[in-house]
Amino acid sequence: MTVTPVETSFSSAGSRCAAWHLTAASDALAGHRGRPCVVMAHGFGATRDSGLLPFAQRFAAAGCDVLLFDYRGFGTSDGTTDPALAHDVHHLRHRADYHAAIAHARTLPGVDRERIVLWGSSYSGGHVVPVAARDGRVAAVISQGAAMDGLGALWAVARHAGPGGLLALTGHGLRDLAGALLRRPPHRIGVYGPPGSAAAITAPDAEAGYSSITGPSFRNTVRARAALRIPVNRPVTAAPRLRAPMLVVVAARDSIAPPAAARRAAARAGAGAEVLELPCGHFDIYTGAPFERSVAAQVDFLTRTLSPAPAGT
């Protein structure tokens, strides 16, 4: 059964974040306090209309509400014309948006405030770990193809682009920062591009991979300063503080988000984690057989983890 997404929005630091709300198509997971809700957002520079709706539809069919949102400055959220927000990948800002989305999800009609699930993929697959650890009430976490350690991701960039490419990327970031001090327009690079191009992600499969999932609201542009933040974004360090059960889906041939870091995060998770390894690349997980295997495991995890509490508890 296909659920029609309903437009909604919520405020994060005074800006409107646009979102879709999918109401559960089944009462399979409904309890006396309501239905669980999965809160979802995308990865590096991507938008809610870029390959996430098929996951959301499966979760809704299984009995979960879903709140799928765009970060400030991306997609149809506010800030896309604000130089301070527009297409600026900032892990701390994205995490703040997740916290605002959780607060909004807990107000949705029929949603059980104590059964909120965080879902992330790629860059957001890392965000969900520190966000859940800080929130402390999240019922479960799903992380797929996750960027869990920016230092490892930086080495991946160096491996594909070479030392010269890494230096050039750093130069673009510094140029953007210097321009801001001089009140110049933002300096931008591509989110993705072919090897050797001026883009944040230039792995051999990046161009085809992004092109295969991106929706109409996606723009292949990012403030160059975002590249300078990558090495300090290290969600793996928050894993020991996580108190919610977690499912980690690892793309074993991932060329963008190092699989070893995702495995380390799972091993360090405070409440323990289940790991599903798929023999595929970073973008394969959104389509075809890898998608089917991943989403089936995720639905099974949600069904087992979110069993409603008996009345009176």
Side-chain angles (χ1 to χ4, degrees):
M1 178 179 180
T2 299
V3 176
T4 301
V6 176
E7 285 284 343
T8 185
S9 64
F10 56 90
S11 177
S12 180
S15 294
R16 181 188 63 90
C17 288
W20 285 322
H21 176 211
L22 286 76
T23 302
S26 161
D27 289 330
L29 294 176
H32 68 282
R33 293 186 303 225
R35 304 175 300 272
C37 182
V38 181
V39 176
M40 306 174 64
H42 219 312
F44 195 97
T47 47
R48 58 181 162 135
D49 57 4
S50 298
L52 299 193
L53 199 53
F55 290 95
Q57 292 285 0
R58 296 293 183 93
F59 301 152
C64 295
D65 278 34
V66 179
L67 183 68
L68 171 53
F69 72 95
D70 280 327
Y71 304 117
R72 285 172 282 166
F74 289 87
T76 57
S77 290
D78 284 352
T80 55
T81 60
D82 181 350
L85 293 175
H87 306 105
D88 183 18
V89 176
H90 194 315
H91 58 285
L92 297 180
R93 187 183 300 136
H94 292 351
R95 293 178 193 178
D97 293 347
Y98 257 106
H99 283 291
I102 293 169
H104 181 65
R106 287 178 171 142
T107 69
L108 291 173
V111 165
D112 183 348
R113 296 167 57 89
E114 302 305 319
R115 287 192 294 156
I116 302 297
V117 178
L118 295 192
W119 185 99
S121 186
S122 191
Y123 221 47
S124 66
H127 297 338
V128 294
V129 173
V131 171
R134 179 179 174 186
D135 179 84
R137 293 169 56 196
V138 166
V141 175
I142 297 176
S143 172
Q144 70 166 25
M148 287 289 188
D149 192 339
L151 288 177
L154 195 67
W155 284 116
V157 170
R159 193 164 57 248
H160 299 304
L166 186 58
L167 284 173
L169 188 60
T170 302
H172 282 292
L174 294 174
R175 176 181 167 185
D176 186 33
L177 286 178
L181 293 174
L182 297 172
R183 300 184 181 276
R184 292 175 179 168
H187 175 57
R188 302 187 182 279
I189 57 176
V191 172
Y192 69 86
S197 64
I201 301 174
T202 59
D205 59 340
E207 191 171 25
Y210 265 98
S211 297
S212 70
I213 65 169
T214 49
S217 73
F218 172 78
R219 300 292 180 267
N220 187 21
T221 181
V222 64
R223 288 205 68 161
R225 64 178 60 186
L228 303 178
R229 301 188 186 111
I230 292 174
V232 299
N233 179 30
R234 306 193 67 210
V236 65
T237 63
R241 304 195 304 274
L242 187 64
R243 294 295 175 261
M246 178 166 65
L247 172 64
V248 178
V249 181
V250 178
R253 296 198 294 267
D254 200 318
S255 63
I256 294 169
R263 297 184 190 109
R264 282 200 308 275
R268 296 177 183 178
E274 301 177 25
V275 178
L276 171 66
E277 292 250 359
L278 298 177
C280 68
H282 187 81
F283 294 98
D284 299 329
I285 209 164
Y286 295 95
T287 58
F291 164 77
E292 293 294 342
R293 286 191 61 190
S294 179
V295 77
Q298 293 176 35
V299 167
D300 176 69
F301 172 76
L302 292 173
T303 302
R304 289 185 286 107
T305 304
L306 299 175
S307 179
T313 62

